[in-house]
Amino acid sequence: MGIAENIRKIKDALKEGVCLVAVSKTKPDADLLEAYGAGQRVFGENKVQELVQKYESLPKDIEWHFIGHLQTNKVKYIAPFVGMIHGVDSLKLLKTIDKEGRKAGRKIACLLQFHIAEEETKFGLDLAEAREILTSDEFTQLEFVEIRGVMGMATYTNDTEQIRREFRQLKSIFNQLKQEFFVGRDSFSEISMGMSGDFPIAVEEGSTMVRVGSSIFGDRQYA
Ligand SMILES: *Cc1c(COP(=O)(O)O)cnc(C)c1O
């Protein structure tokens, strides 16, 4: 099946209001243009250099989301144009994003990444660490970051009940933070969860943003 058809099928399966982030990492510009031709405008990348190259060569009305682990020394390359940074998991990174946002003259949308999976290797905060960041004086002084919600990745497993539990946990973290720190702030509204293997469960559990790669573009080949 072609890319355009894959996108149409996935969009049909999403609830209204759920944003599809087309994860195009490792894929050539031609593939992204095919998705673009099918109306797709939000793309996700996880490498800074690749993101910058694609931003430069592809249409300017694309909204680029950074979905990977972001090193502080690379924030400056994407700050002028990035639409959202999904994987924020430290105050240090937030402070750098703020600094680069200030230089670029724009407020940068960020999601706090939470560790919900069983695997040790996945990045992310727990609720206590997030509270520590959000209550710190340093955080409250930041003017060029906007926390728009939360992001997480479920364990890579066939156990759908486990996946569902982990997504529920992220939704509950979102609700907690909303209540404690973002009451009445409509901008805190996103729950980025769900990938090719698990996005239907994520949507059932309240996802507002799914990050889908291989179900759109096919399997990735890593050189
Ligand atoms: C690669 C990636 C995805 C997409 O994965 P697929 O299984 O190809 O849909 C989603 N989120 C993150 C953070 C990723 O790195």
Side-chain angles (χ1 to χ4, degrees), residues 40-207:
Q40 184 64 31
R41 291 295 179 273
V42 183
F43 290 84
E45 292 282 338
N46 71 341
K47 295 272 190 300
V48 167
Q49 196 185 350
E50 189 177 346
L51 173 54
V52 170
Q53 274 169 6
K54 285 174 174 169
Y55 165 71
E56 282 169 359
S57 59
L58 290 164
K60 286 294 172 283
D61 62 339
I62 289 176
E63 185 179 317
W64 294 100
H65 288 202
F66 188 82
I67 62 168
H69 188 69
L70 183 56
Q71 290 170 275
T72 50
N73 61 344
K74 293 192 175 166
V75 174
K76 57 177 177 280
Y77 301 113
I78 63 172
F81 68 89
V82 71
M84 189 175 277
I85 298 174
H86 287 232
V88 177
D89 64 357
S90 72
L91 179 59
K92 179 174 171 234
L93 182 54
L94 278 169
K95 284 165 68 180
T96 306
I97 295 169
D98 180 74
K99 187 180 86 187
E100 296 301 333
R102 178 184 299 273
K103 279 191 210 158
R106 59 196 296 269
K107 212 168 185 163
I108 299 177
C110 296
L111 302 179
L112 294 177
Q113 182 169 1
F114 285 86
H115 180 94
I116 53 169
E118 248 179 16
E119 291 117 323
E120 275 299 318
T121 54
K122 295 201 171 142
F123 296 101
L125 303 163
D126 62 29
L127 195 49
E129 290 167 331
R131 283 193 179 112
E132 201 176 311
I133 291 174
L134 294 170
T135 53
S136 68
D137 286 344
E138 283 177 299
F139 173 77
T140 52
Q141 282 161 20
L142 303 183
E143 293 173 61
F144 291 88
V145 295
E146 181 165 62
I147 306 290
R148 297 286 313 278
V150 300
M151 178 266 200
M153 290 166 85
T155 303
Y156 189 72
T157 172
N158 289 324
D159 183 346
T160 56
E161 278 315 305
Q162 180 178 352
I163 292 170
R164 190 177 295 282
R165 273 198 306 276
E166 291 173 358
F167 286 150
R168 268 191 198 155
Q169 190 194 338
L170 187 60
K171 166 84 182 176
S172 134
I173 288 169
F174 171 86
N175 288 342
Q176 285 282 333
L177 294 179
K178 180 89 191 172
Q179 206 177 13
E180 289 177 39
F181 302 98
F182 299 98
V183 171
R185 301 254 291 275
D186 291 344
S187 55
F188 187 82
S189 58
E190 303 292 350
I191 304 175
S192 168
M193 60 184 186
M195 309 176 24
S196 291
D198 56 23
F199 76 83
I201 304 174
V203 171
E204 283 170 16
E205 296 304 330
S207 172

